[in-house]
Amino acid sequence: MNITANTRPLGLLGYPVTHSKSPQILNEVCRILGIPATYMAYSVCPDHLKEAVNGMRVLNFIGFNVTIPHKVAIIPYLDELDETAEEIGAVNTVLNKDGKLIGYNTDGVGYLRSLQEETAFSLKNKIVTILGAGGAARAVSITLAKAGAAKVFIANRTQSKAEELANVLGTFTSASAVALLQAHEKIAESHLLVNTTSIGMSPHTEVMPVPADYLHPKLLVSDLIYRPEETKLLLSAKQIGARTHGGLGMLLHQAAVAVEHWFNETAPILQMRAILENED
């Protein structure tokens, strides 16, 4: 990349960020689209988040991504939220529009695009169980509810958090909460099971968010984890004949939607996918 005085910055705020593949993906996107920008990952501890956001504003960043643990904490430091980010209550993408920082959440729409592209799953009259009640669960469950899911169960270790999210979902569809390890009956009723927790992520790849005997062959089992690409949950689902859907597509599509916000251009999904697939 030829960096000049006209090159503008993009970035990622998180803590930590050393695992992130966003710089590889988004610097290549800028090269392909011919945009004079460079993308860097910034490890910012929670105590310094306000200063980091103000610094990005002052330094005229085009925009930036936000990841754990800042997706909710960043909201007071932004000027505006779009409707989806406000509904979800979390931000993962920020656009600097003439000095005004506007927050978006691309996780939900990124997940839905991936699900439909890879599985052609129709949500009409379908029952969904979501494992987890954090920021990713909020984004995915609200998006699925608005897209037509007939009923959504939220299963979480802390049932009070599941109940809080179920109450939010009640605006869009029928929703209820259950403790994670008491979710067997709800999963038995479901057509789609989505793991939004980090259980099963590398290096702890031998664990599952629910026991294997909770699964059944009529399920589509979806896991947001993309390292490893096939978690133990997905492997167990395959063994009983259930369909599976991994997390790589969501990672790609949420980044693609961020590109659309920043540049008003269609992201080169095929090239972005190739970068990820070539990464160790």
Side-chain angles (χ1 to χ4, degrees), residues 189-267:
E189 294 180 44
S190 297
H191 304 94
L192 172 64
L193 175 68
V194 187
N195 176 39
T196 71
T197 77
S198 61
I199 300 171
M201 183 184 295
S202 180
H204 306 294
T205 58
E206 293 306 309
V207 293
M208 293 173 58
V210 292
D213 61 8
Y214 281 25
L215 309 178
H216 59 83
K218 294 183 179 180
L219 268 177
L220 170 57
V221 180
S222 179
D223 200 328
L224 303 196
I225 292 170
Y226 60 90
R227 291 289 184 270
E229 287 188 34
E230 279 198 309
T231 60
K232 188 173 182 181
L233 177 67
L234 296 184
L235 291 170
S236 297
K238 276 188 173 181
Q239 287 174 356
I240 64 165
R243 297 171 66 202
T244 61
H245 170 247
L248 192 64
M250 175 181 172
L251 175 69
L252 289 170
H253 284 285
Q254 63 84 20
V257 180
V259 167
E260 293 167 14
H261 287 308
W262 291 331
F263 308 134
N264 197 29
E265 298 244 17
T266 300

Side-chain angles (χ1 to χ4, degrees), residues 4-259:
T4 72
N6 294 316
T7 303
R8 289 182 63 194
L10 291 159
L12 170 69
L13 293 182
Y15 190 74
V17 293
T18 53
H19 65 284
S20 177
K21 304 300 181 185
S22 293
Q24 292 95 312
I25 298 169
L26 290 164
N27 280 311
E28 181 65 8
V29 167
C30 290
R31 187 194 67 78
I32 291 167
L33 297 180
I35 293 167
T38 185
Y39 187 106
M40 297 282 288
Y42 301 94
S43 182
V44 176
C45 73
D47 290 345
H48 295 156
L49 179 60
K50 181 178 180 179
E51 292 91 333
V53 173
N54 287 338
M56 288 177 148
R57 188 199 304 269
V58 170
L59 293 171
N60 197 28
F61 272 61
I62 295 170
F64 51 94
N65 291 126
V66 185
T67 190
I68 294 170
H70 303 318
K71 290 187 179 186
V72 175
I74 197 172
I75 290 175
Y77 310 130
L78 304 178
D79 300 303
E80 184 180 319
L81 300 183
D82 89 321
E83 181 181 350
T84 300
E86 194 161 1
E87 287 175 345
I88 292 169
V91 165
N92 76 332
T93 298
V94 176
L95 169 67
N96 181 0
K97 188 175 182 180
D98 301 321
K100 177 188 286 188
L101 299 183
I102 304 171
Y104 299 87
N105 192 301
T106 70
D107 283 334
V109 66
Y111 175 78
L112 185 60
R113 286 187 184 184
S114 170
L115 183 72
Q116 293 177 335
E117 177 185 274
E118 296 178 30
T119 71
F121 183 80
S122 172
L123 286 158
K124 186 177 180 181
N125 299 322
K126 296 298 195 304
I127 299 172
V128 180
T129 293
I130 304 287
L131 305 180
R138 289 181 68 91
V140 169
S141 61
I142 289 172
T143 300
L144 295 179
K146 292 178 70 176
K151 186 182 293 186
V152 179
F153 298 122
I154 304 296
N156 192 55
R157 283 175 172 171
T158 306
Q159 191 166 345
S160 60
K161 290 185 178 180
E163 289 168 354
E164 179 185 349
L165 178 51
N167 288 337
V168 173
L169 290 173
T171 304
F172 309 108
T173 192
S174 173
S176 61
V178 64
L180 188 62
L181 291 180
Q182 296 174 346
H184 196 179
E185 291 183 5
K186 304 304 183 186
I187 295 172
E189 294 180 44
S190 297
H191 304 94
L192 172 64
L193 175 68
V194 187
N195 176 39
T196 71
T197 77
S198 61
I199 300 171
M201 183 184 295
S202 180
H204 306 294
T205 58
E206 293 306 309
V207 293
M208 293 173 58
V210 292
D213 61 8
Y214 281 25
L215 309 178
H216 59 83
K218 294 183 179 180
L219 268 177
L220 170 57
V221 180
S222 179
D223 200 328
L224 303 196
I225 292 170
Y226 60 90
R227 291 289 184 270
E229 287 188 34
E230 279 198 309
T231 60
K232 188 173 182 181
L233 177 67
L234 296 184
L235 291 170
S236 297
K238 276 188 173 181
Q239 287 174 356
I240 64 165
R243 297 171 66 202
T244 61
H245 170 247
L248 192 64
M250 175 181 172
L251 175 69
L252 289 170
H253 284 285
Q254 63 84 20
V257 180
V259 167

